[in-house]
Amino acid sequence: MSGGEMGGTGANVAGSSTLDIPANRGGAPASHRPLGILAALPQELGDLIEAMRAESGVRTITHGQRDYHLGTVHGSPCVVTLARVGKVAAAATVSALIHAFDVDAVVFTGVAGGVGNDVRVGDIVVADALLQHDLDASPLFPRFEVPLLGMSRFAADAALADRLAAACERFVAEEGAASAARFGTREPRVHRGLIVSGDQFVASAAGVNALRDALPDALAVEMEGAAIAQVCHEYGVPCGVVRTISDTADDHAPESFVSFLTEIAGAYSNAILTRFLDARKAQG
Ligand code: SAH
């Protein structure tokens, strides 16, 4: 396939497959359009790309220094990619998912720091809303508000959030105790609510307390979700964000984050996404 077949986006194609997922052809029926799945770091995707390779084969398209993997996972056509870290990286990647790959919805999976009082390492947070905690154009605009858009909180798609939370609850019911024993965490709890995003790895008691003071209902902090939610809002694309808690954004965060990411994050991601995609297939 040449760049021209990608609608002149200049994308490069590697790998091979017989798939023909339409790119940038907005007229495709919703059921045939792929789901966009993204994470920041490879460990956060678990075995998703291997599962795609086994099920349908993978076609990889490189675009804007990101690899987009096209194929079918658990019966759903998907485009899977890594956004890398931070709001700009996330916004650029989700914009390409929408424009070059015509996704009908976006799901972000990854890890985050726990901020809510009862949000511990090993818990899971499904976003109902997302906010950029480092956005501050005051006094011109209220703190946290995106200038000219007049919004600070971006809603996740309610149906997607319900399905992600149901997948998480099933994981906890079926494997929560075994997972806690295996990883030395408490039995996971599933929380729903506000996730806040900013271009900082929050790793101090002062930093996480400042977030709690400014945003008392924040459950988790990470670096991509609210950027994705803003872009999806602006283009009318449903989005969902699910985050496993790797640390509690305090002085222990760097070690806790690294060990959770390398030892646990992939297993959680596999467990949640498998159940989410199986249910999506059943719903047709
Ligand atoms: N160089 C590191 C970068 C990780 S930054 C690496 O590649 O290993 C942390 C990532 O995990 C971000 O993608 C962010 O979304 C999430 N995250 C986990 N804990 C966080 C915290 N306490 N503060 C901010 N982001 C956090």
Side-chain angles (χ1 to χ4, degrees), residues 84 92 176 206 211 226 281:
R84 304 197 194 136
L211 280 179
K281 181 183 167 195

Side-chain angles (χ1 to χ4, degrees), residues 40-41 111-113 200-202 221-224 243 246-247 249 257:
L41 303 164
V111 300
Q200 289 128 24
F201 183 73
V202 179
V221 61
E222 36 86 313
M223 301 176 69
E224 298 84 16
R243 294 280 188 171
S246 57
D247 59 88
F257 164 78

Side-chain angles (χ1 to χ4, degrees), residues 46-198:
D47 298 329
L48 197 63
I49 296 168
E50 288 75 11
M52 180 186 273
R53 201 178 309 285
E55 187 168 331
S56 68
V58 177
R59 187 169 66 179
T60 299
I61 297 177
T62 304
H63 182 61
Q65 299 188 12
R66 305 282 186 279
D67 289 338
Y68 295 84
H69 304 287
L70 285 67
T72 301
V73 202
H74 300 292
S76 285
C78 294
V79 183
V80 179
T81 190
L82 292 175
R84 304 197 194 136
V85 175
K87 294 190 299 174
V88 172
T93 308
V94 78
S95 180
L97 278 175
I98 293 168
H99 293 111
F101 299 98
D102 195 27
V103 296
D104 73 346
V106 170
V107 168
F108 191 104
T109 174
V111 300
V115 176
N117 277 336
D118 192 35
V119 179
R120 309 270 168 79
V121 171
D123 285 0
I124 308 167
V125 178
V126 176
D128 284 327
L130 300 107
L131 169 149
Q132 297 171 50
H133 70 77
D134 58 351
L135 207 167
D136 188 357
S138 62
L140 303 177
F141 298 92
R143 189 176 176 195
F144 307 125
E145 183 171 304
V146 180
L148 310 183
L149 198 54
M151 293 175 67
S152 55
R153 292 177 185 236
F154 295 88
D157 181 74
L160 262 184
D162 284 349
R163 286 188 219 152
L164 284 169
C168 295
E169 295 286 7
R170 273 199 302 281
F171 158 55
V172 172
E174 290 165 14
E175 288 177 23
S179 165
R182 179 176 166 203
F183 297 124
T185 52
R186 77 170 178 185
E187 197 158 326
R189 293 186 192 166
V190 182
H191 309 265
R192 280 182 69 162
L194 179 67
I195 293 182
V196 299
S197 312

Side-chain angles (χ1 to χ4, degrees), residues 205-250:
V208 70
N209 284 331
L211 280 179
R212 289 185 184 123
D213 288 345
L215 296 159
D217 60 335
L219 296 179
V221 61
E222 36 86 313
M223 301 176 69
E224 298 84 16
I228 286 163
Q230 181 182 334
V231 174
C232 285
H233 166 79
E234 290 176 341
Y235 287 104
V237 173
C239 92
V241 176
V242 57
R243 294 280 188 171
T244 306
I245 300 303
S246 57
D247 59 88
T248 40
D250 53 14

